[in-house]
Structure formats: structure tokens, C-alpha cells
Amino acid sequence: MKKLVLFIPLALFLGMGIFLYKGLFLNPQKLDSALEGKPIPAFQLEKLETPGEMITQEDLKGQVSLLNVWATWCPSCKYEHPFLMTLTRQKLVPIYGINYRDERAEAIRELRHQGDPYVLNIFDKDGRLGLDLGVYGAPETFLVDHQGIIRFRFAGPVDQRVWNETLYPMVKQLQQEAAAEAAASGQSSATGAAS
Amino acid sequence: MKPLNYLLAMILLCFSSLTLATPVDTYEFKSADNQKRALSLAHELRCPQCQNQNLIDSNSPVARDLRLEVYKMVDEGKSDDQIIEFMTTRYGDFVLYKPRMEGRTYALWLGPVILLLIGLTAGILFIRKQRSQPVEAADLTPEQQAELDALLKGDKPGVDNDHKGKKS
């Protein structure tokens, strides 16, 4: 029994070792979003293409969607762009754009030349919405559920692999949740009408 | 380089890290007190884009915006807690250089103290045990005792000269 006590330092050392070893494989670039589980922050910003036309957080509600932060100055966004076009063609999920700290004319030109994958583009000139979303670089993609709650944030360019492995399973699940909820409320209103 | 110069250089190097990098923001504070508080807050908050720079040291656009946001909030009369709250609701606890005292961070805050206490107790117990045990006389055969006596007297014939020479 007394001998066992002598092994305590070794056990402590091994415990620390395992803990620190695991730390070696963490990605320090990846931050959890503090906004997961919270609604999209309130905002009122112009539509990118039409100055004067306002968009608020209410316009993004109603369906599972992606909220993609992009800019013309951001090389990774250019890399990501063709894949967003593919996603839009597949019509799996609507993508909303936040044009982040950008020049309006340049952004419009870029979309005209390269194609526009977005249902709607919010012009966040001074990055205020980005700040409220906790954006620290572009591109970043937020997965928003049908109630406008942010469920997941992905920092970095979305490509086929990220989509297949991370985003699409979550999108499918959220869409099922939304469908189930709609069915439940549809049923209750139907029975309500019948009675 | 002369050792003294070298030492001086090292000391200067140490102090150079203490000088504050002053960012070239054109921000007019309402008062010097506000400026002092805002700068110290911005020093304590980590830039979310960088890995280990505070808001003042970093040149990234996000750090610049957040820095100005902090300045503005200080001038608006917001408290430190409110400003830290603003930062953490957006960027999480990552931005805090000094983690908050809460459930998840008790181990972080109290761990060192507990380890120190464990170490001290173990040390004290060990010393006490050593003291309480009387030194027992070793069992020596008469020949060994005779050898020991001779050694203590310092005239053991077997001791080599080298050893002796060093002693004297």
C-alpha cells in the first residue's frame, strides 16, 4: 500500500502528459462561436445591389439557410465561390451573403462576372454586423435554422469535403427538424379546424 | 563584448518589451482617465484573429475595430464588466487573457495553489518523519569498529598518500 503512494507522481505526470499531448492536435485557429444557439443579431442594412432597400434579421428567418460572409478583397472567398455556385445550383439550401467591409461597386461587378450564388446580399460596409456575429476573418459561414437561430459557425472556405463531412449532415438534420415542426403545427391547426 | 556591456544590453532588452506600442489610431478621448482605462482594457483583451496579440499590438482590421469599439464604450461611460461582456458574447472566452473565475476555470485558478499545498504538506510530513525516527546505532563487528576508530583518528595505515596529501 505504501509503495503505491510512490506511484502518485508518475500517475500525475502521465495524466498531464496525456492532457498536453492532446493539446498538440488542437487547431488554435478554430474558435467556437459564442453565438451558437443564439438568434442572428438584430441589424438593419442595405441590400448590396440596391442602396436604400433595407434588410433586417427578420428577412433571413423561415427556413434553414447558410449565411456566408464574403468580400472581394478576400482570396479564400474567391476559392470558395465556385463551390457556393454549385450548392446554389443543387438547390439544397438558400445562401444569404454578407458583403463584409467591401466596396459596393466592386462587389457587384464581381458577382456579375463570377456568378451570384446568393439569394440576398447584405451590404455590411463598416463591418458592424460582422462584429456582432463575432466574425474575425472572411470567409465564414453560419448555419441558421428555420427560427433564425445560429446553430453552427464554420470559419474558412467551404468546399466539397467540408460540405459533405460537416455542413450537409447538419443541414439535413435541421431541415428534418423544421419539417417535423411544420407537420406538427399543421396537424394541430387541422384538428383545431375540425373540432 | 565586455561582460558589463553584455549585461547592460540584456537589461535594456528586457525593458524594451515593457514599452507600450502606441497604435496610430486617431481617436480623441473625452478625458485622460478614460484613455488610461481604455488602453489598459484593450491590453487585456486578445485579438480574435491573431493567436497571441492583444487588441493594441495587433494590426489586423478586426483588432482595430474592436479597439475603437472599446474606446468608444469607455467614453460612453460603460463599465469594464459591460465591455468585457460585449467582447465575450461575440468572440467567446478566447478574448480574455485573464480567464473569469467560474465552474470551468476553477482548476485553472486553484490548481497551482492546491499543488503547492500538497507539495508543502508532503515536505513537512517527510521532514517530521525523518526527525521523529531516532538514529539507530549501526551494528558493527569488533573489526569494523576498530577500523572505524582508526579512520576517525586519521592514522589508518591503509589510506593512500594521495588522499592524505589533499587533506593536509
Side-chain angles (χ1 to χ4, degrees):
Chain A
M1 195 56 213
K2 244 187 167 174
K3 286 252 167 78
L4 275 180
V5 174
L6 294 176
F7 283 99
I8 290 177
L10 180 69
L12 278 176
F13 170 77
L14 286 178
M16 282 287 276
I18 292 167
F19 178 72
L20 295 175
Y21 183 76
K22 262 168 65 186
L24 285 179
F25 299 97
L26 293 177
N27 180 3
Q29 300 286 346
K30 193 174 162 283
L31 294 189
D32 288 335
S33 175
L35 270 102
E36 275 165 25
K38 292 191 192 153
I40 302 171
F43 69 92
Q44 191 177 18
L45 288 167
E46 287 183 347
K47 199 171 165 179
L48 174 67
E49 293 85 354
T50 44
E53 196 178 327
M54 291 312 220
I55 303 171
T56 69
Q57 70 281 2
E58 294 300 322
D59 295 313
L60 310 182
K61 286 184 186 166
Q63 54 192 330
V64 178
S65 61
L66 296 182
L67 194 53
N68 178 252
V69 180
W70 70 284
T72 55
W73 48 259
C74 145
S76 309
C77 302
K78 292 195 169 58
Y79 163 79
E80 176 185 62
H81 187 266
F83 184 72
L84 294 183
M85 292 300 292
T86 321
L87 268 188
T88 296
R89 274 195 295 272
Q90 290 173 339
K91 293 195 193 328
L92 292 171
V93 62
I95 308 173
Y96 295 106
I98 298 179
N99 184 239
Y100 179 59
R101 300 164 183 281
D102 211 346
E103 294 298 325
R104 180 173 248 147
E106 227 171 291
I108 294 175
R109 200 181 320 131
E110 175 112 343
L111 290 179
R112 200 170 291 152
H113 283 280
Q114 307 294 328
D116 184 353
Y118 305 108
V119 184
L120 197 66
N121 244 309
I122 303 155
F123 185 51
D124 187 20
K125 171 128 191 77
D126 49 14
R128 183 65 221 198
L129 175 58
L131 195 75
D132 284 340
L133 279 167
V135 169
Y136 57 86
E140 281 188 24
T141 304
F142 294 84
L143 175 55
V144 180
D145 74 8
H146 63 289
Q147 288 169 323
I149 310 282
I150 295 169
R151 291 301 195 88
F152 183 70
R153 184 265 290 274
F154 181 81
V158 174
D159 55 17
Q160 190 72 55
R161 216 184 108 207
V162 171
W163 175 251
N164 289 347
E165 287 175 8
T166 314
L167 286 174
Y168 192 46
M170 296 174 90
V171 167
K172 260 200 298 201
Q173 199 203 331
L174 289 180
Q175 283 174 338
Q176 277 163 6
E177 272 174 35
E181 207 169 289
S185 69
Q187 232 168 28
S188 67
S189 68
T191 50
S195 60
Chain B
M1 211 195 292
K2 277 189 214 159
L4 194 67
N5 284 354
Y6 185 71
L7 191 71
L8 203 68
M10 289 311 282
I11 290 171
L12 282 177
L13 195 69
C14 288
F15 278 104
S16 68
S17 63
L18 292 178
T19 55
L20 301 182
T22 340
V24 258
D25 294 328
T26 47
Y27 188 86
E28 293 281 331
F29 283 95
K30 281 188 190 154
S31 71
D33 277 353
N34 276 1
Q35 177 166 17
K36 214 174 136 200
R37 189 159 75 91
L39 287 179
S40 87
L41 260 174
H43 266 108
E44 274 175 32
L45 291 166
R46 180 167 15 185
C47 153
Q49 194 174 25
C50 333
Q51 284 308 304
N52 203 3
Q53 279 179 304
N54 61 41
L55 291 183
I56 294 210
D57 288 342
S58 169
N59 272 328
S60 79
V62 171
R64 200 187 134 267
D65 277 15
L66 289 174
R67 195 159 67 213
L68 290 173
E69 202 64 40
V70 169
Y71 298 169
K72 233 189 288 169
M73 283 190 285
V74 168
D75 265 351
E76 281 164 12
K78 294 241 169 82
S79 73
D80 288 11
D81 284 346
Q82 280 174 313
I83 294 170
I84 285 170
E85 180 73 20
F86 171 91
M87 292 288 295
T88 49
T89 48
R90 283 161 182 76
Y91 295 96
D93 287 344
F94 177 83
V95 294
L96 301 177
Y97 271 119
K98 205 158 107 191
R100 283 179 291 205
M101 186 87 148
E102 60 187 18
R104 294 190 301 151
T105 54
Y106 282 154
L108 202 63
W109 279 101
L110 304 177
V113 183
I114 291 169
L115 280 179
L116 182 71
L117 286 179
I118 291 176
L120 278 178
T121 340
I124 290 170
L125 283 180
F126 181 74
I127 291 171
R128 279 208 182 154
K129 212 171 147 195
Q130 290 256 308
R131 281 200 185 151
S132 65
Q133 274 175 352
V135 185
E136 290 170 31
D139 277 338
L140 295 180
T141 58
E143 297 91 69
Q144 284 173 325
Q145 188 60 53
E147 197 178 356
L148 179 63
D149 289 344
L151 270 172
L152 284 173
K153 264 184 228 152
D155 57 3
K156 162 106 179 152
V159 175
D160 52 48
N161 289 328
D162 215 30
H163 200 92
K164 238 182 181 174
K166 251 184 206 165
K167 239 183 183 176
S168 61

